Amino acid sequence: MTLQQLKYVIEIARRGSMNEAAKRLFISQPSLSNAIKDLEEELGITIFERTNKGISLSMEGTEFLGYARQVVEQAELLESRYLDAKPSPQHFSVSTQHYAFAVNAFVSLVRQFGQEQYEMALRETKTHDIIEDVRTMRSEIGILYLNDFNAKVIQSLLKSGNLAFHPLFTAKPHIFISVHNPLAKQRSVTIDQLQDYPYLSFEQGEYNSFHFAEEILSTLTYPKRIRVSDRATLFNLLIGLNGYTISTGVLSSDLNGNDIIPVPLDCDETIQVGWICHRNLALSKLALSYIEALKEATGQAERLS
């Protein structure tokens, strides 16, 4: 087993594609495949599962990847310390539901640790994909919410993937609306008051179960409903159509301006937002710093709960 083989495994897991990893590593795809095959035979495990849909980490591979990353990181520290080598690019990935505070924290992380070289990823994506990204180590951290309705299903998936949920904050539900919406001056609103306005929600694709919805009260009937796939589109529709969505109430005027505001929703629900990671793997320095940035970015949540 060589350090180069460990780097190959890390790059394939990062890209989710043998072909894409080969391009990034400047070697041929057959050479990369043979190197991984030799490593698997030497160790007597299957690191990557190959299917018609592509390549993914096996359960053994996920555990191996955690150790491989630690070894490679230590080797890079040695090279930097004793060989006067140029610092290696820093890598970090996070997958999250569509939360502005997750972006805020990411900005803080890059500002704090942005060297001459880094490669980071911020994936605003579907709930099921967040769990899968963290399970397969495509992302080190995932951000999602639990409540009484979805907790049993989400926790079951986390347990089967050997993932742990760590609470960040608990919030009372709010709606996000335009400052020009007729409800903007209300101290709070009820579901009945929202019936005349378009309800905006994030689509969940193949896993379009109520339990994976990013918005609470997903089982209610909404007379006017629009599904979107990204936060920018949703915010534009909030303004252009006087629509609304249901979320935590945590917004950032620095990144989102002052055109959208939170208004408390009059209901008995609560939202527990948290981050997920592998249960038995040590977090990187960047992941730990990102978690601290998340806590700082969500400090206002306590005032909204």
Side-chain angles (χ1 to χ4, degrees), residues 4-38:
Q4 191 63 57
Q5 286 174 313
L6 299 185
K7 291 180 179 179
Y8 287 170
V9 171
I10 293 170
E11 191 65 24
I12 294 168
R14 183 178 294 135
R15 304 300 167 188
S17 163
M18 189 76 72
N19 188 51
E20 185 62 28
K23 292 178 183 177
R24 295 278 181 163
L25 293 165
F26 301 104
I27 63 173
S28 69
Q29 194 270 337
S31 296
L32 181 59
S33 296
N34 289 334
I36 298 302
K37 183 179 179 181
D38 291 343

Side-chain angles (χ1 to χ4, degrees), residues 22-240:
K23 292 178 183 177
R24 295 278 181 163
L25 293 165
F26 301 104
I27 63 173
S28 69
Q29 194 270 337
S31 296
L32 181 59
S33 296
N34 289 334
I36 298 302
K37 183 179 179 181
D38 291 343
L39 179 61
E40 290 177 323
E41 290 178 352
E42 178 186 350
L43 298 176
I45 65 173
T46 298
I47 299 174
F48 292 104
E49 295 175 343
R50 288 86 166 170
T51 68
N52 293 333
K53 293 183 178 180
I55 192 169
S56 62
L57 281 167
S58 66
M59 292 295 291
E60 292 175 312
T62 299
E63 183 179 12
F64 177 81
L65 178 64
Y67 289 112
R69 280 181 166 160
Q70 293 180 49
V71 171
V72 170
E73 286 174 0
Q74 291 300 315
E76 289 175 347
L77 285 174
L78 284 171
E79 291 176 356
S80 177
R81 173 67 177 84
Y82 292 105
L83 299 180
D84 196 26
K86 188 177 182 180
S88 299
Q90 299 189 89
H91 295 276
F92 174 71
S93 297
V94 57
S95 295
T96 177
Q97 292 178 326
H98 297 78
Y99 294 129
F101 63 77
V103 180
N104 256 16
F106 194 82
V107 169
S108 296
L109 181 74
V110 175
R111 285 176 175 171
Q112 183 178 1
F113 290 98
Q115 299 176 327
E116 291 183 5
Q117 296 185 50
Y118 58 82
E119 184 169 340
M120 302 188 192
L122 173 61
R123 302 182 179 97
E124 287 191 332
T125 188
K126 304 174 182 66
T127 302
H128 187 275
D129 290 349
I130 294 169
I131 298 171
E132 189 64 12
D133 282 352
V134 179
R135 185 190 72 79
T136 60
M137 297 293 288
R138 187 168 186 244
S139 288
E140 194 171 356
I141 297 292
I143 304 170
L144 46 74
Y145 83 90
L146 298 179
N147 70 345
D148 290 340
F149 177 73
N150 73 0
K152 186 174 181 180
V153 171
I154 299 296
Q155 291 282 26
S156 176
L157 282 175
L158 297 180
K159 182 178 180 180
S160 65
N162 200 28
L163 308 178
F165 177 86
H166 303 271
L168 271 173
F169 65 91
T170 300
K172 294 288 187 181
H174 287 64
I175 61 167
F176 289 157
I177 56 175
S178 164
V179 292
H180 303 296
N181 189 296
L183 300 175
K185 298 187 183 300
Q186 297 278 119
R187 294 178 62 87
S188 66
V189 297
T190 65
I191 288 293
D192 288 341
Q193 288 178 288
L194 297 169
Q195 295 302 300
D196 292 335
Y197 300 92
Y199 169 63
L200 307 175
S201 63
F202 290 106
E203 62 180 3
Q204 296 297 320
E206 179 182 353
Y207 297 92
N208 196 30
S209 160
F210 290 131
H211 296 97
F212 293 119
E214 287 197 37
E215 305 80 19
I216 67 166
L217 305 176
S218 58
T219 59
L220 295 181
T221 299
Y222 296 91
K224 303 175 182 180
R225 182 168 191 159
I226 301 173
R227 290 186 174 89
V228 300
S229 59
D230 68 88
R231 188 161 46 89
T233 299
L234 183 140
F235 280 6
N236 286 338
L237 294 177
L238 289 182
I239 297 171

